[in-house]
Amino acid sequence: MTARPVVYVTREIPDAGLDPLADECEVHVHDWKLPPGHDRILRRLAELEADGLLCLLTDDVDGEVMDASPNLRVVSTFSVGYDHVDVDEAERRGIAVGHTPGVLSETTADFTWALLMTAARRTVEGNEYVLADEWETWGPKLLTGPDVHHATLGVVGLGNIGATVARRAAGFEMEVLYANTERDGAAEQRLREFGVEATYVELDELLARSDFVTLHVPLNEATEGLIGDEEFEAMPDDAVLVNTSRGPVVDTDALDRALADGSIKRAALDVTDPEPLPGDHPVTRHVPEKLVLAPHIASASIGTRDRMARMAAENMLAGLRGESLPNSAVEDRR
Ligand code: DGY
Protein backbone atom coordinates (compact mmCIF):
# COMPACT_ATOMS: atom_id res chain seq x y z
CA MET A 1 0.00 0.00 0.00
CA THR A 2 1.41 3.39 -0.93
CA ALA A 3 1.67 5.87 1.92
CA ARG A 4 -0.89 8.64 1.92
CA PRO A 5 0.55 12.12 1.38
CA VAL A 6 0.97 14.15 4.56
CA VAL A 7 -0.62 17.60 4.78
CA TYR A 8 -0.04 20.13 7.54
CA VAL A 9 -2.93 22.60 7.98
CA THR A 10 -2.02 25.69 9.97
CA ARG A 11 -5.50 26.28 11.50
CA GLU A 12 -8.81 24.55 11.66
CA ILE A 13 -10.67 25.32 8.42
CA PRO A 14 -14.28 24.32 7.60
CA ASP A 15 -15.01 20.61 7.10
CA ALA A 16 -15.85 21.37 3.47
CA GLY A 17 -12.06 21.47 3.01
CA LEU A 18 -10.85 19.11 5.72
CA ASP A 19 -13.13 16.20 4.71
CA PRO A 20 -11.89 15.82 1.11
CA LEU A 21 -8.31 16.17 2.32
CA ALA A 22 -8.83 13.45 4.94
CA ASP A 23 -10.20 11.10 2.25
CA GLU A 24 -6.86 11.04 0.46
CA CYS A 25 -4.24 12.30 2.88
CA GLU A 26 -2.89 12.06 6.40
CA VAL A 27 -3.98 15.44 7.75
CA HIS A 28 -2.42 17.25 10.72
CA VAL A 29 -4.23 20.39 11.85
CA HIS A 30 -2.71 23.05 14.11
CA ASP A 31 -5.49 22.90 16.64
CA TRP A 32 -5.31 26.33 18.27
CA LYS A 33 -7.08 29.62 17.65
CA LEU A 34 -3.83 31.53 17.07
CA PRO A 35 -1.46 30.91 14.13
CA PRO A 36 1.38 28.46 14.75
CA GLY A 37 4.11 31.04 14.05
CA HIS A 38 7.10 30.66 11.75
CA ASP A 39 9.21 28.40 14.02
CA ARG A 40 6.40 26.00 14.73
CA ILE A 41 5.52 25.72 11.05
CA LEU A 42 9.18 24.88 10.33
CA ARG A 43 9.23 22.29 13.11
CA ARG A 44 5.96 20.61 12.16
CA LEU A 45 6.78 20.44 8.45
CA ALA A 46 10.16 18.86 9.31
CA GLU A 47 8.73 16.38 11.86
CA LEU A 48 5.95 15.31 9.52
CA GLU A 49 8.09 15.40 6.37
CA ALA A 50 4.94 16.96 4.95
CA ASP A 51 4.08 16.81 1.26
CA GLY A 52 1.65 19.71 1.50
CA LEU A 53 1.17 22.88 3.53
CA LEU A 54 -2.32 24.35 3.71
CA CYS A 55 -1.78 27.82 5.13
CA LEU A 56 -3.68 31.01 5.90
CA LEU A 57 -2.93 34.66 5.22
CA THR A 58 -1.54 34.90 8.77
CA ASP A 59 1.38 32.57 7.96
CA ASP A 60 4.65 33.81 6.54
CA VAL A 61 5.58 31.18 3.96
CA ASP A 62 9.14 31.96 2.89
CA GLY A 63 12.00 29.93 1.44
CA GLU A 64 12.95 28.62 4.88
CA VAL A 65 9.47 27.17 5.34
CA MET A 66 9.64 25.62 1.89
CA ASP A 67 12.92 23.91 2.75
CA ALA A 68 11.69 22.54 6.10
CA SER A 69 10.32 19.33 4.63
CA PRO A 70 12.26 17.51 1.90
CA ASN A 71 8.92 16.34 0.45
CA LEU A 72 7.04 19.64 0.23
CA ARG A 73 5.34 19.84 -3.18
CA VAL A 74 2.30 22.03 -2.64
CA VAL A 75 1.48 25.19 -0.70
CA SER A 76 -2.22 25.92 -0.81
CA THR A 77 -3.42 29.09 0.85
CA PHE A 78 -6.94 29.49 2.21
CA SER A 79 -7.10 33.01 0.77
CA VAL A 80 -7.30 34.98 -2.42
CA GLY A 81 -4.30 37.14 -1.54
CA TYR A 82 -0.91 35.45 -1.58
CA ASP A 83 1.35 38.30 -0.47
CA HIS A 84 2.29 36.16 2.55
CA VAL A 85 3.73 33.43 0.29
CA ASP A 86 7.05 33.94 -1.47
CA VAL A 87 5.83 32.73 -4.84
CA ASP A 88 9.22 33.36 -6.52
CA GLU A 89 10.91 31.05 -4.01
CA ALA A 90 8.22 28.42 -4.53
CA GLU A 91 8.58 28.57 -8.31
CA ARG A 92 12.35 28.25 -7.98
CA ARG A 93 11.87 25.04 -5.98
CA GLY A 94 9.13 23.66 -8.22
CA ILE A 95 6.57 23.92 -5.41
CA ALA A 96 3.02 24.56 -6.61
CA VAL A 97 1.12 27.41 -4.94
CA GLY A 98 -2.68 27.48 -4.88
CA HIS A 99 -5.06 30.26 -3.84
CA THR A 100 -8.82 30.92 -3.98
CA PRO A 101 -9.56 33.72 -6.47
CA GLY A 102 -13.07 34.92 -7.27
CA VAL A 103 -14.69 33.03 -4.42
CA LEU A 104 -15.13 35.94 -2.05
CA SER A 105 -15.79 38.87 -4.40
CA GLU A 106 -19.54 39.09 -3.75
CA THR A 107 -19.18 38.61 0.01
CA THR A 108 -16.34 41.10 0.28
CA ALA A 109 -18.25 43.60 -1.86
CA ASP A 110 -21.25 43.27 0.48
CA PHE A 111 -19.04 44.02 3.46
CA THR A 112 -17.33 46.93 1.70
CA TRP A 113 -20.75 48.49 1.31
CA ALA A 114 -21.56 47.72 4.93
CA LEU A 115 -18.45 49.66 5.99
CA LEU A 116 -19.12 52.48 3.55
CA MET A 117 -22.70 52.87 4.75
CA THR A 118 -21.63 52.59 8.39
CA ALA A 119 -19.05 55.34 8.01
CA ALA A 120 -21.38 57.60 6.02
CA ARG A 121 -24.50 57.17 8.12
CA ARG A 122 -22.81 56.81 11.50
CA THR A 123 -24.55 53.64 12.67
CA VAL A 124 -21.84 52.68 15.18
CA GLU A 125 -22.05 56.11 16.78
CA GLY A 126 -25.83 55.85 16.83
CA ASN A 127 -25.65 52.51 18.59
CA GLU A 128 -23.27 53.87 21.24
CA TYR A 129 -25.38 56.99 21.67
CA VAL A 130 -28.46 54.95 22.48
CA LEU A 131 -26.62 52.59 24.83
CA ALA A 132 -25.03 55.54 26.64
CA ASP A 133 -28.58 56.78 27.32
CA GLU A 134 -27.85 60.08 25.55
CA TRP A 135 -30.92 59.85 23.29
CA GLU A 136 -33.29 62.48 24.63
CA THR A 137 -35.22 63.46 21.53
CA TRP A 138 -35.29 63.43 17.73
CA GLY A 139 -32.88 66.14 16.55
CA PRO A 140 -32.61 68.00 13.22
CA LYS A 141 -28.81 67.82 13.33
CA LEU A 142 -28.41 64.60 15.27
CA LEU A 143 -25.73 62.32 13.73
CA THR A 144 -26.10 63.71 10.23
CA GLY A 145 -23.82 62.37 7.51
CA PRO A 146 -23.35 62.58 3.76
CA ASP A 147 -25.77 61.04 1.28
CA VAL A 148 -24.52 57.91 -0.43
CA HIS A 149 -27.04 58.00 -3.26
CA HIS A 150 -25.94 60.11 -6.23
CA ALA A 151 -22.48 60.62 -4.70
CA THR A 152 -19.23 59.79 -6.49
CA LEU A 153 -17.59 56.44 -5.77
CA GLY A 154 -13.88 56.03 -6.55
CA VAL A 155 -12.80 52.40 -6.95
CA VAL A 156 -9.04 51.89 -6.75
CA GLY A 157 -8.33 48.55 -8.46
CA LEU A 158 -11.00 47.21 -10.81
CA GLY A 159 -10.28 43.50 -10.35
CA ASN A 160 -12.94 40.98 -9.31
CA ILE A 161 -13.74 42.62 -5.99
CA GLY A 162 -13.45 46.23 -7.18
CA ALA A 163 -15.79 45.54 -10.10
CA THR A 164 -18.28 43.76 -7.83
CA VAL A 165 -18.29 46.74 -5.48
CA ALA A 166 -18.77 49.08 -8.47
CA ARG A 167 -21.69 46.96 -9.72
CA ARG A 168 -23.56 47.55 -6.45
CA ALA A 169 -23.28 51.33 -6.97
CA ALA A 170 -26.05 51.06 -9.58
CA GLY A 171 -28.65 50.83 -6.82
CA PHE A 172 -27.43 54.09 -5.36
CA GLU A 173 -27.29 55.79 -8.78
CA MET A 174 -23.74 56.92 -8.11
CA GLU A 175 -21.13 58.27 -10.46
CA VAL A 176 -18.36 55.67 -10.58
CA LEU A 177 -14.69 56.46 -11.22
CA TYR A 178 -11.95 53.88 -11.23
CA ALA A 179 -8.17 53.86 -11.21
CA ASN A 180 -6.33 50.76 -12.31
CA THR A 181 -2.95 49.68 -13.66
CA GLU A 182 -4.59 50.19 -17.05
CA ARG A 183 -7.99 50.95 -18.53
CA ASP A 184 -10.15 47.80 -18.56
CA GLY A 185 -12.65 48.04 -21.41
CA ALA A 186 -14.03 44.53 -20.82
CA ALA A 187 -14.77 45.29 -17.17
CA GLU A 188 -16.36 48.61 -18.18
CA GLN A 189 -18.61 46.75 -20.64
CA ARG A 190 -19.67 44.19 -18.00
CA LEU A 191 -20.51 47.04 -15.62
CA ARG A 192 -22.47 48.81 -18.33
CA GLU A 193 -24.70 45.72 -18.57
CA PHE A 194 -25.57 46.32 -14.92
CA GLY A 195 -26.27 49.99 -15.55
CA VAL A 196 -22.95 51.31 -14.23
CA GLU A 197 -20.91 53.68 -16.37
CA ALA A 198 -17.42 53.45 -14.85
CA THR A 199 -14.96 56.13 -15.94
CA TYR A 200 -11.24 55.40 -15.97
CA VAL A 201 -9.14 58.18 -14.41
CA GLU A 202 -5.67 58.56 -12.90
CA LEU A 203 -5.45 58.01 -9.16
CA ASP A 204 -4.93 61.69 -8.35
CA GLU A 205 -8.07 62.66 -10.26
CA LEU A 206 -10.04 59.87 -8.56
CA LEU A 207 -8.90 61.06 -5.14
CA ALA A 208 -9.77 64.67 -5.91
CA ARG A 209 -13.26 63.90 -7.25
CA SER A 210 -14.57 61.02 -5.11
CA ASP A 211 -16.85 61.32 -2.09
CA PHE A 212 -16.09 57.68 -1.24
CA VAL A 213 -12.79 55.99 -2.08
CA THR A 214 -12.67 52.21 -1.82
CA LEU A 215 -9.44 50.21 -2.15
CA HIS A 216 -9.25 46.86 -3.98
CA VAL A 217 -5.63 46.37 -5.00
CA PRO A 218 -3.37 43.44 -4.11
CA LEU A 219 -0.47 44.19 -1.78
CA ASN A 220 2.84 44.39 -3.62
CA GLU A 221 5.79 46.78 -3.94
CA ALA A 222 3.75 49.19 -6.07
CA THR A 223 0.75 49.35 -3.72
CA GLU A 224 2.40 49.36 -0.29
CA GLY A 225 1.76 52.82 1.17
CA LEU A 226 -0.31 53.79 -1.90
CA ILE A 227 -2.48 56.04 0.26
CA GLY A 228 -0.27 58.33 2.36
CA ASP A 229 0.02 62.01 3.33
CA GLU A 230 -0.05 63.34 -0.25
CA GLU A 231 -3.06 61.26 -1.21
CA PHE A 232 -5.03 62.30 1.87
CA GLU A 233 -4.16 65.89 1.07
CA ALA A 234 -5.55 65.40 -2.46
CA MET A 235 -8.91 64.11 -1.19
CA PRO A 236 -11.83 66.44 -0.37
CA ASP A 237 -12.18 67.25 3.33
CA ASP A 238 -15.50 65.42 3.51
CA ALA A 239 -14.26 62.26 1.76
CA VAL A 240 -14.63 58.79 3.25
CA LEU A 241 -11.97 56.09 2.74
CA VAL A 242 -12.84 52.38 2.85
CA ASN A 243 -10.18 49.67 2.86
CA THR A 244 -11.01 45.98 2.52
CA SER A 245 -7.84 45.09 0.55
CA ARG A 246 -4.65 44.82 2.62
CA GLY A 247 -3.66 46.98 5.59
CA PRO A 248 -0.28 48.23 4.33
CA VAL A 249 -1.89 49.78 1.23
CA VAL A 250 -2.74 52.64 3.61
CA ASP A 251 -0.06 54.37 5.68
CA THR A 252 -1.68 54.15 9.12
CA ASP A 253 0.28 57.09 10.59
CA ALA A 254 -0.71 59.25 7.63
CA LEU A 255 -4.35 58.21 8.12
CA ASP A 256 -4.10 59.14 11.79
CA ARG A 257 -2.81 62.60 10.78
CA ALA A 258 -5.43 63.01 8.04
CA LEU A 259 -8.29 62.23 10.43
CA ALA A 260 -6.80 64.51 13.09
CA ASP A 261 -6.28 67.52 10.82
CA GLY A 262 -9.49 67.02 8.84
CA SER A 263 -7.88 66.22 5.47
CA ILE A 264 -10.61 63.59 5.17
CA LYS A 265 -13.82 63.12 7.10
CA ARG A 266 -13.91 59.43 7.95
CA ALA A 267 -12.40 56.03 7.27
CA ALA A 268 -13.63 52.47 7.60
CA LEU A 269 -11.07 49.69 7.69
CA ASP A 270 -11.44 45.93 7.59
CA VAL A 271 -7.68 45.54 7.18
CA THR A 272 -5.02 47.41 9.10
CA ASP A 273 -1.28 47.86 9.45
CA PRO A 274 -0.32 46.44 11.86
CA GLU A 275 -2.74 43.55 11.80
CA PRO A 276 -4.13 42.72 14.30
CA LEU A 277 -4.43 46.39 15.31
CA PRO A 278 -3.92 46.72 19.08
CA GLY A 279 -6.94 48.28 20.77
CA ASP A 280 -4.73 51.08 22.12
CA HIS A 281 -3.07 51.93 18.78
CA PRO A 282 -2.94 55.77 18.36
CA VAL A 283 -5.29 55.69 15.34
CA THR A 284 -8.08 54.23 17.50
CA ARG A 285 -8.50 57.65 19.13
CA HIS A 286 -10.70 58.48 16.12
CA VAL A 287 -13.22 55.70 16.85
CA PRO A 288 -16.19 55.97 16.47
CA GLU A 289 -16.71 59.54 15.20
CA LYS A 290 -14.16 59.35 12.40
CA LEU A 291 -13.09 55.74 12.19
CA VAL A 292 -14.88 52.40 11.97
CA LEU A 293 -12.85 49.21 12.41
CA ALA A 294 -13.46 45.54 11.68
CA PRO A 295 -11.07 42.59 12.25
CA HIS A 296 -10.49 41.45 8.63
CA ILE A 297 -13.89 39.80 8.27
CA ALA A 298 -15.02 41.02 4.85
CA SER A 299 -15.09 37.47 3.47
CA ALA A 300 -16.55 35.95 6.64
CA SER A 301 -19.84 34.56 5.41
CA ILE A 302 -20.41 30.90 6.21
CA GLY A 303 -20.94 29.97 2.57
CA THR A 304 -17.84 31.78 1.35
CA ARG A 305 -15.60 30.31 4.01
CA ASP A 306 -16.88 26.82 3.07
CA ARG A 307 -16.15 27.49 -0.60
CA MET A 308 -12.68 28.81 0.24
CA ALA A 309 -11.96 25.63 2.21
CA ARG A 310 -13.16 23.46 -0.69
CA MET A 311 -11.03 25.34 -3.21
CA ALA A 312 -7.95 25.21 -0.98
CA ALA A 313 -8.42 21.44 -0.67
CA GLU A 314 -8.94 21.05 -4.43
CA ASN A 315 -5.72 22.92 -5.13
CA MET A 316 -3.87 20.78 -2.59
CA LEU A 317 -5.20 17.46 -3.90
CA ALA A 318 -4.51 18.35 -7.53
CA GLY A 319 -0.94 19.33 -6.69
CA LEU A 320 -0.33 16.17 -4.67
CA ARG A 321 -1.60 14.06 -7.58
CA GLY A 322 0.85 15.83 -9.86
CA GLU A 323 -1.92 17.63 -11.75
CA SER A 324 -1.99 21.34 -12.50
CA LEU A 325 -3.76 23.37 -9.82
CA PRO A 326 -7.27 24.66 -10.58
CA ASN A 327 -6.11 28.01 -9.18
CA SER A 328 -2.38 28.55 -9.27
CA ALA A 329 -0.87 31.72 -7.81
CA VAL A 330 2.18 31.18 -10.02
CA GLU A 331 -0.03 31.32 -13.13
CA ASP A 332 -2.39 34.04 -11.91
CA ARG A 333 0.30 36.60 -11.15
CA ARG A 334 1.64 36.43 -14.73
C1 DGY B 1 -8.19 36.90 1.21
O1 DGY B 1 -8.59 35.74 1.02
O2 DGY B 1 -7.16 37.33 0.68
C2 DGY B 1 -9.02 37.78 2.06
O3 DGY B 1 -8.31 38.88 2.53
C3 DGY B 1 -9.65 37.02 3.21
O4 DGY B 1 -10.68 37.83 3.72
Side-chain angles (χ1 to χ4, degrees):
M1 201 176 80
T2 31
R4 286 148 70 88
V6 177
V7 176
Y8 178 51
V9 184
T10 60
R11 215 92 63 78
E12 191 179 344
I13 62 168
D15 289 344
L18 286 180
D19 289 348
L21 281 182
D23 287 343
E24 293 189 34
C25 310
E26 182 186 316
V27 181
H28 296 261
V29 180
H30 174 73
D31 189 14
W32 179 237
K33 63 177 179 171
L34 295 179
H38 194 254
D39 287 351
R40 191 174 170 90
I41 295 179
L42 290 179
R43 186 152 42 82
R44 291 301 283 146
L45 287 175
E47 282 166 5
L48 297 167
E49 298 194 353
D51 300 278
L53 169 66
L54 197 150
C55 64
L56 309 190
L57 55 82
T58 42
D59 307 313
D60 179 16
V61 182
D62 56 11
E64 213 184 338
V65 165
M66 294 171 199
D67 292 336
S69 162
N71 300 331
L72 195 72
R73 283 176 281 154
V74 188
V75 171
S76 173
T77 182
F78 176 89
S79 62
V80 176
Y82 45 83
D83 46 279
H84 56 293
V85 179
D86 193 331
V87 180
D88 286 334
E89 289 295 323
E91 199 174 6
R92 217 165 281 143
R93 289 163 173 78
I95 294 175
V97 181
H99 70 135
T100 64
V103 64
L104 49 67
S105 303
E106 300 287 342
T107 303
T108 301
D110 287 351
F111 195 80
T112 302
W113 278 95
L115 284 183
L116 188 154
M117 297 297 288
T118 301
R121 300 303 310 276
R122 308 176 67 180
T123 53
V124 173
E125 284 172 86
N127 187 63
E128 297 201 357
Y129 186 80
V130 174
L131 293 184
D133 215 10
E134 288 176 39
W135 188 17
E136 291 174 325
T137 183
W138 184 90
K141 291 187 173 178
L142 180 63
L143 292 173
T144 52
D147 274 321
V148 175
H149 67 85
H150 298 97
T152 300
L153 177 71
V155 180
V156 181
L158 199 71
N160 284 334
I161 301 173
T164 310
V165 169
R167 175 150 50 82
R168 281 157 174 65
F172 293 94
E173 298 180 57
M174 296 172 91
E175 178 179 9
V176 177
L177 308 176
Y178 77 97
N180 208 28
T181 43
E182 57 189 22
R183 186 170 176 188
D184 187 340
E188 286 176 24
Q189 182 50 37
R190 283 192 297 276
L191 285 171
R192 211 165 280 132
E193 285 158 22
F194 286 95
V196 175
E197 197 59 50
T199 307
Y200 174 69
V201 292
E202 294 297 330
L203 180 62
D204 45 2
E205 184 178 344
L206 179 146
L207 295 173
R209 288 178 52 194
S210 299
D211 301 301
F212 299 93
V213 173
T214 181
L215 305 177
H216 302 288
V217 291
L219 177 62
N220 54 40
E221 276 173 19
T223 60
E224 184 165 355
L226 184 71
I227 306 297
D229 287 312
E230 258 180 52
E231 289 70 27
F232 286 121
E233 202 48 53
M235 292 164 74
D237 294 352
D238 55 1
V240 173
L241 175 77
V242 180
N243 189 12
T244 55
S245 62
R246 283 291 183 265
V249 173
V250 175
D251 176 339
T252 308
D253 294 337
L255 173 64
D256 183 32
R257 286 189 286 274
L259 292 173
D261 68 20
S263 302
I264 66 165
K265 190 79 172 178
R266 284 194 194 95
L269 310 176
D270 180 49
V271 289
T272 56
D273 182 25
E275 193 170 310
L277 189 77
D280 61 356
H281 187 282
V283 79
T284 62
R285 68 188 161 128
H286 303 295
V287 175
E289 292 84 1
K290 296 181 179 176
L291 182 61
V292 177
L293 295 169
H296 204 151
I297 53 168
S299 69
S301 77
I302 297 159
T304 289
R305 289 290 163 87
D306 278 351
R307 284 189 288 276
M308 287 169 78
R310 207 170 298 127
M311 282 173 82
E314 283 164 5
N315 282 330
M316 176 61 73
L317 292 171
L320 293 175
R321 290 184 203 120
E323 298 163 5
S324 48
L325 271 48
N327 291 286
S328 158
V330 177
E331 295 300 323
D332 289 349
R333 75 189 172 136
R334 291 202 169 112

